[in-house]
Amino acid sequence: MYTYKYPRPSVTVDAIIVEKKLNKLLLIQRGNDPFAGLWALPGGFIEMDELLADSCRRELEEETKLKIGELKQFKTYDAVNRDPRGRTISVVYYAFVDAEEKVEGSDDAINADWFPLNELPQLAFDHAEIISEFIDNLDKLQ
């Protein structure tokens, strides 16, 4: 194990999964602090031996039971105080599905559900900003 003189940020991934016909977004309800009980994009910390997209697919399946093939990278979010646990950089991926697939909360998510893009619940972290930027670019991404 390496040790470093300087602190290192953590890296996370988040998934934006949109059902095309009804314009619904997949969210999870957090089971743990910070923001326990609030809704968020599925995601989490990468493992040391994973590629980012693989980590995103793993986290998505662990938290929602949804398996996704291809994910496309949307944007990286690096605001210094975006996570109260410490310096965290998140790489956000997205995919579109043709139908609202069955999902269930699992792992550290107590619930998973689909929400209309224009009727989202209160969101954890900076996920409202992330989703807003995604919606602003939706025409270019489809």
Side-chain angles (χ1 to χ4, degrees):
M1 183 84 184
Y2 294 99
T3 58
Y4 297 96
K5 180 178 177 181
Y6 303 102
R8 300 285 191 250
S10 295
V11 179
T12 62
V13 289
D14 290 303
I16 296 176
I17 308 299
V18 176
E19 186 278 331
K20 287 196 271 188
K21 290 180 190 167
L22 300 174
N23 250 1
K24 287 190 171 185
L25 175 69
L26 177 60
L27 296 174
I28 57 105
Q29 190 174 23
R30 292 183 52 79
N32 299 324
D33 280 325
F35 306 110
L38 290 185
W39 292 87
L41 295 168
F45 292 94
I46 67 165
E47 300 290 338
M48 293 301 287
D49 61 348
E50 287 181 309
L51 297 175
L52 292 169
D54 294 339
S55 180
C56 194
R57 275 189 288 279
R58 175 187 54 79
E59 284 287 344
L60 179 63
E61 185 176 350
E62 284 177 1
E63 293 183 342
T64 69
K65 305 286 189 189
L66 181 63
K67 291 183 182 185
I68 290 286
E70 183 183 4
L71 289 166
K72 293 182 181 177
Q73 195 173 119
F74 172 58
K75 189 175 173 186
T76 300
Y77 289 83
D78 65 347
V80 174
N81 295 315
R82 62 179 303 276
D83 189 326
R85 296 170 290 192
R87 181 76 168 105
T88 305
I89 297 168
S90 185
V91 180
V92 179
Y93 286 84
Y94 71 95
F96 296 96
V97 294
D98 291 325
E100 189 178 305
E101 299 193 32
K102 183 178 187 280
V103 293
E104 67 177 89
S106 185
D107 193 34
D108 56 353
I110 56 174
N111 198 0
D113 207 351
W114 297 93
F115 290 86
L117 280 173
N118 59 355
E119 295 177 31
L120 299 177
Q122 183 180 359
L123 297 166
F125 304 104
D126 56 353
H127 292 190
E129 174 190 339
I130 293 170
I131 294 164
S132 177
E133 287 187 33
F134 183 81
I135 292 169
D136 288 347
N137 289 282
L138 200 53
D139 289 341
K140 299 177 211 168
L141 300 171
Q142 291 190 47

